[in-house]
Amino acid sequence: LINRNITEIAELEAKQMIFNQDMRYWGEILHEVRTKYSVYKMGLSKYKPKIYELREALDQGVIRTKDYVGKEQLLGLPVTDYFELDGMIDDFAPYYQLWDTIIQFQQKEIDWSSEPVKSFDSTKIEALLDAWYKDVY
């Protein structure tokens, strides 16, 4: 039983080390978003991959940390507080909201300018515009 616990603790620590490396990488992406993402026209063409990559990574990070905390509790270890992840999520939220809205609008702009007007569903477009308005204001 003791050897099994030692093995489980070592596996958990290895996962947490990888998580810490991932956090540093996510921090670099967030820094780039904060300091370099300032050109509206580049939202869809250049910024989209990193914006959505970071959102997905942070969402997965929450799942991973819940798993780590559960394992720590099972093993009788002190529970780690992942406040840095929470802070990163909070810091990224307004940037994500801004760039996600821009990216969606730019994609719709392409769709709307390349499809026949009669193919548009005015109810869906109105609902989308209302949602964007509420997000922005």
Side-chain angles (χ1 to χ4, degrees), residues 16-45:
Q16 288 172 320
M17 286 176 54
I18 292 169
F19 178 79
N20 289 334
Q21 292 171 347
D22 291 344
M23 282 285 294
R24 282 189 287 281
Y25 174 66
W26 302 338
E28 291 169 7
I29 296 174
L30 180 56
H31 178 72
E32 183 178 332
V33 169
R34 281 182 178 154
T35 60
K36 296 181 180 173
Y37 284 30
S38 60
V39 180
Y40 168 82
K41 292 184 182 219
M42 297 177 98
L44 181 63
S45 64

Side-chain angles (χ1 to χ4, degrees), residues 40-59:
Y40 168 82
K41 292 184 182 219
M42 297 177 98
L44 181 63
S45 64
K46 184 172 181 194
Y47 301 158
K48 179 182 175 181
K50 289 287 185 186
I51 294 293
Y52 291 138
E53 174 188 352
L54 184 54
R55 173 79 275 149
E56 177 64 21
L58 294 174
D59 291 345

Side-chain angles (χ1 to χ4, degrees), residues 6-106:
I6 292 171
T7 302
E8 289 176 340
I9 291 169
E11 289 172 357
L12 176 60
E13 287 176 347
K15 288 179 180 179
Q16 288 172 320
M17 286 176 54
I18 292 169
F19 178 79
N20 289 334
Q21 292 171 347
D22 291 344
M23 282 285 294
R24 282 189 287 281
Y25 174 66
W26 302 338
E28 291 169 7
I29 296 174
L30 180 56
H31 178 72
E32 183 178 332
V33 169
R34 281 182 178 154
T35 60
K36 296 181 180 173
Y37 284 30
S38 60
V39 180
Y40 168 82
K41 292 184 182 219
M42 297 177 98
L44 181 63
S45 64
K46 184 172 181 194
Y47 301 158
K48 179 182 175 181
K50 289 287 185 186
I51 294 293
Y52 291 138
E53 174 188 352
L54 184 54
R55 173 79 275 149
E56 177 64 21
L58 294 174
D59 291 345
Q60 288 300 312
V62 170
I63 293 167
R64 288 166 65 185
T65 57
K66 286 180 182 177
D67 181 55
Y68 303 155
V69 166
K71 288 197 190 291
E72 288 170 336
Q73 290 171 334
L74 285 173
L75 294 168
L77 299 171
V79 174
T80 304
D81 182 2
Y82 293 97
F83 65 91
E84 293 161 336
L85 176 62
D86 296 335
M88 193 177 293
I89 290 169
D90 291 344
D91 290 349
F92 182 57
Y95 296 100
Y96 178 76
Q97 183 178 12
L98 170 69
W99 287 109
D100 180 51
T101 303
I102 290 169
I103 290 164
Q104 286 182 47
F105 180 79
Q106 289 176 340

